[in-house]
Amino acid sequence: GQNIDQPTEMTATEGAIVQINCTYQTSGFNGLFWYQQHAGEAPTFLSYNVLDGLEEKGRFSSFLSRSKGYSYLLLKELQMKDSASYLCAVSVRGSTLGRLYFGRGTQLTVWP
Amino acid sequence: GAVVSQHPSRVICKSGTSVKIECRSLDFQATTMFWYRQFPKQSLMLMATSNEGSKATYEQGVEKDKFLINHASLTLSTLTVTSAHPEDSSFYICSAPSGRLYNEQFFGPGTRLTVL
């Protein structure tokens, strides 16, 4: 099976930087996604990593180390609207195309 | 960008009734769609994979006779919760692979089901 682990909750203050970690143990790793989900809404796509390294996209960056089975999502210049759940999900070769395995999500609360 | 819609957004029903939830891909075709259930403060739990033109594939522990899935066309999948009970109250979300570079999922806005 697939095992994806991320912290349940994190808090940070407005303007700060926060790093949300995700570790995974999968067979046939084929990429890692990060999604943002506000309460009562659908998840929205943030980033995708399949090769080692850092992908930067504005205030958000995502890092992947395949050898360590580790990823993180880095959020800079935090804003109140960044309070949400952040979901780490992996794609696995041999699964139905598009099928993702989700972690439990990290609830981030940004304080003023 | 690609849009997935769900209908209804909220539904309240009495115990024992059946509820149908529709998931549509509005500007792209989806041979596969995924149905998730999400309980408060928990992550997405995949229930089943909906396949156009063939039977749905259910995850372990999900009763296929209770959660009926029909993928009627390349743009529509439906989930019917039969004989709903209060424990079926949850947030149901569908998604479809975008078919784009990353093949990321596009999620519907979700359906909040409350069974009294």
Side-chain angles (χ1 to χ4, degrees):
Chain A
Q2 323 301 331
N3 187 29
I4 301 155
D5 194 31
Q6 52 182 130
T8 306
E9 295 179 331
M10 296 184 72
T11 60
T13 53
E14 206 171 9
I17 299 173
V18 71
Q19 178 175 311
I20 303 174
N21 297 324
C22 173
T23 58
Y24 62 89
Q25 292 176 311
T26 65
S27 50
F29 175 81
N30 196 34
L32 187 143
F33 294 82
W34 284 96
Y35 283 85
Q36 179 192 61
Q37 185 181 25
H38 287 97
E41 298 181 10
T44 55
F45 169 74
L46 290 179
S47 68
Y48 172 73
N49 295 70
V50 67
L51 300 177
D52 286 356
L54 186 69
E55 295 281 342
E56 297 186 78
K57 197 185 292 186
R59 294 191 298 116
F60 293 5
S61 303
S62 57
F63 172 83
L64 176 68
S65 169
R66 294 176 65 133
S67 62
K68 295 182 180 178
Y70 167 69
S71 172
Y72 67 73
L73 180 69
L74 191 72
L75 292 78
K76 304 176 185 176
E77 302 169 16
L78 281 173
Q79 302 174 10
M80 299 292 290
K81 67 178 182 180
D82 297 329
S83 292
S85 181
Y86 291 86
L87 305 173
C88 171
V90 298
S91 173
V92 174
R93 276 192 301 275
S95 295
T96 301
L97 185 64
R99 194 229 200 275
L100 295 178
Y101 295 83
F102 282 89
R104 60 185 170 181
T106 299
Q107 182 63 47
L108 173 66
T109 302
V110 180
W111 299 103
Chain B
V3 177
V4 174
S5 70
Q6 267 183 256
H7 178 79
S9 57
R10 291 178 180 271
V11 57
I12 301 173
C13 68
K14 293 182 179 179
S15 186
T17 60
S18 294
V19 175
K20 180 185 283 188
I21 303 171
E22 292 186 348
C23 177
R24 292 181 186 272
S25 56
L26 296 186
D27 55 358
F28 67 105
Q29 294 182 333
T31 56
T32 301
M33 290 184 177
F34 300 95
W35 285 96
Y36 297 87
R37 181 165 52 183
Q38 186 175 35
F39 292 107
K41 297 188 178 181
Q42 295 188 23
S43 190
L44 299 170
M45 292 175 52
L46 181 66
M47 299 175 65
T49 302
S50 174
N51 304 299
E52 191 271 336
S54 63
K55 292 182 180 180
T57 306
Y58 290 81
E59 295 299 300
Q60 191 172 7
V62 177
E63 301 174 58
K64 57 182 161 184
D65 293 333
K66 180 169 183 62
F67 299 100
L68 301 179
I69 290 174
N70 181 28
H71 202 131
S73 73
L74 288 172
T75 59
L76 173 64
S77 175
T78 60
L79 168 67
T80 301
V81 183
T82 63
S83 186
H85 289 96
E87 57 265 31
D88 298 323
S89 298
S90 187
F91 193 51
Y92 292 86
I93 306 178
C94 68
S95 74
S98 66
R100 297 183 175 181
L101 177 62
Y102 302 142
N103 208 31
E104 67 269 28
Q105 297 289 320
F106 286 107
F107 287 87
T111 297
R112 173 73 60 192
L113 170 64
T114 303
V115 184
L116 303 176

